[in-house]
Amino acid sequence: MNSKNLDLSKSKIQINRNTSLIIGILFFFLGIFDFCLNNFLGTNITSFLPRFINFFTPLIFGVIGLHFIRIEFSGIKILDSLNKNINPSNFNAALSLCIIFLIIFSLPPLLNWFIFDANISGDTKEACTGGGACWVYIKVWFNRFMYGMYPNAEQWRINITFIAVLSFMAAGFFVPAKFRNYLSLYYTLILPIISFILIYYLISGGSFGLEWVETGAWGGLSLTFIVSFFSLIFCFPIGMMLALGRRSDLPVVKYSSLSFIEFWRGVPLITVLFMSAVMFPMFLPDGTYVDKLIRVVVAITLFEAAYTAEVIRGGLQALPRGQYDAAKSLGMGYWKLHIFVILPQALKLVIPGIANTFLALVKDTPLIFVVGLLEVVGMLNLAKTNPEWLGFSMEGYVFAGIIFWIICYSMSKYSQKLELKYKTDR
């Protein structure tokens, strides 16, 4: 008898839950339906109500619907996840609805501009007759956005160089376990040297029968990658040394590091680039010439190294004093202590900060236009002033935004992966 009553009670609860769920779904979609009618068809199903009330009826319907849907432990995995993440309370439900309404409101015109009304086929400006984006503009200028003014017949050299550099970068993932201790040396010293040699002989040319191409002709996305790659690789070890130097007990080392960091953090990057391009050559001896691209890479490297140093110093300061004392009690010297005990722990803590600095570095590369180097955004600025393609700057900047988003999002995901890999229970 008790078992029968229990089954009846469970059945009653289930019926109530299903009823609540159905009512909630109906109210929720009524709110969405009311919002769509108001904004896309100009029809208001609650026009009989005062204006200050019917303006909010989509939100009111939606909140009522989500209130009924908010069932604790419904047994439906998706519903429980939605309730936990976007519908834990009436206030959060209202915020979630506002975001949903904003997406519904903005998505159709965006899709129209991006896809449905866009022009893709054709090779001239006259092909862009619709009201949407003119992707013909991107298609025509795509080669320049990727390679700048590099000669068309020689662009295979850039492709071969990048494939080779990526292969050498990926090689580190397949190193046997007994050589993994040398990976830091490989990535900070050997890989930059190999990459520089490849870029010097393949992209610059002038040897092995390859045509010489001056760095002023380099540009587009390939230049963005070159500047970012070398700046990222060099700024990290320099920043690490500056962080150690700032915490040194030797006054000369400490205050030299401190002065360097504060100087570079105190000036804007655009000023640093301008100085490297205009002022620096004035102080060189007669007959000495340093290529503009090298000056730019050095300037960005030193600038970002100062920020990287402060991020790493934060990780060093976060470690308890006991780690230093424990390492010293084992007879470790300064360098051995930092290389094998302190830095591995400190760097784990500051992965998000380092990733943030590196992302900022990549997004700062368009500033090199002040010295006459045209990476992808610089090429866009050049293309939009072409008399035959005036009025399509929006498509160009959207294209550049998508490229930078893909690069930065990939770096962000990789840093998150590193965080999980080296996560410690602190």
Side-chain angles (χ1 to χ4, degrees), residues 4-283:
K4 188 177 180 180
N5 287 337
L6 186 60
D7 291 339
L8 285 172
S9 176
K10 285 182 178 178
S11 176
K12 194 173 181 180
I13 292 171
Q14 187 63 39
I15 291 171
N16 289 337
R17 282 183 176 179
N18 291 341
T19 305
S20 178
L21 194 57
I22 292 169
I23 294 172
I25 290 172
L26 287 175
F27 266 99
F28 176 76
F29 281 104
L30 179 61
I32 299 292
F33 184 65
D34 189 18
F35 179 81
C36 292
L37 284 179
N38 263 316
N39 288 280
F40 300 125
L41 299 177
T43 304
N44 192 345
I45 59 174
T46 57
S47 57
F48 57 90
L49 295 172
R51 178 62 184 161
F52 71 94
I53 294 178
N54 67 38
F55 181 79
F56 293 103
T57 48
L59 185 64
I60 294 170
F61 289 146
V63 170
I64 293 172
L66 290 177
H67 176 76
F68 279 102
I69 290 174
R70 197 179 305 124
I71 301 169
E72 193 173 1
F73 304 119
S74 66
I76 304 172
K77 191 175 179 181
I78 297 176
L79 181 61
D80 289 338
S81 176
L82 288 175
N83 282 331
K84 180 182 176 183
N85 294 299
I86 68 171
N87 187 28
S89 65
N90 287 332
F91 178 72
N92 286 331
L95 291 178
S96 300
L97 282 166
C98 289
I99 294 172
I100 292 170
F101 291 153
L102 181 63
I103 293 172
I104 292 173
F105 182 75
S106 57
L107 199 56
L110 279 176
L111 287 177
N112 285 336
W113 190 82
F114 263 94
I115 300 172
F116 301 122
D117 295 336
N119 297 103
I120 301 173
S121 61
D123 296 315
T124 60
K125 181 180 178 181
E126 285 67 31
C128 299
T129 55
C134 178
W135 299 123
V136 177
Y137 166 75
I138 301 298
K139 188 172 72 174
V140 170
W141 285 88
F142 185 80
N143 211 33
R144 294 296 167 216
F145 294 156
M146 294 295 108
Y147 304 103
M149 304 307 290
Y150 206 87
N152 291 344
E154 306 293 329
Q155 287 169 2
W156 62 270
R157 289 155 51 179
I158 296 179
N159 298 334
I160 293 291
T161 304
F162 282 158
I163 291 172
V165 171
L166 288 173
S167 301
F168 280 110
M169 289 175 69
F173 294 100
F174 303 100
V175 170
K178 61 181 180 181
F179 295 119
R180 288 190 182 276
N181 290 336
Y182 300 100
L183 277 179
S184 300
L185 178 67
Y186 174 73
Y187 279 115
T188 56
L189 184 62
I190 298 175
L191 181 61
I193 292 173
I194 294 173
S195 304
F196 180 80
I197 292 172
L198 284 170
I199 289 173
Y200 182 79
Y201 283 105
L202 269 176
I203 298 183
S204 288
S207 304
F208 307 110
L210 297 175
E211 179 189 345
W212 169 261
V213 181
E214 62 175 355
T215 54
W218 302 12
L221 188 61
S222 57
L223 184 60
T224 302
F225 282 137
I226 291 172
V227 172
S228 302
F229 174 77
F230 283 107
S231 301
L232 288 175
I233 282 186
F234 290 128
C235 81
F236 181 72
I238 295 173
M240 194 162 59
M241 296 305 293
L242 288 169
L244 293 175
R246 185 163 182 175
R247 287 173 55 82
S248 173
D249 294 328
L250 301 173
V252 174
V253 176
K254 179 177 181 178
Y255 289 108
S256 298
S257 303
L258 179 62
S259 302
F260 182 92
I261 292 170
E262 295 303 332
F263 171 77
W264 289 99
R265 288 204 308 166
V267 291
L269 179 58
I270 198 166
T271 306
V272 174
L273 292 171
F274 183 77
M275 295 284 283
S276 72
V278 179
M279 299 295 292
F280 179 72
M282 296 181 182
F283 299 101

Side-chain angles (χ1 to χ4, degrees), residues 314-363:
L316 294 171
Q317 291 187 167
L319 291 180
R321 186 69 196 171
Q323 294 293 322
Y324 291 87
D325 295 338
K328 287 178 181 175
S329 68
L330 295 174
M332 290 183 174
Y334 178 85
W335 289 109
K336 201 171 181 180
L337 176 152
H338 279 90
I339 292 173
F340 294 107
V341 178
I342 301 302
L343 281 174
Q345 297 183 71
L347 293 179
K348 287 178 190 174
L349 299 176
V350 295
I351 288 175
I354 292 174
N356 200 37
T357 305
F358 286 178
L359 289 173
L361 187 155
V362 173
K363 290 189 290 184

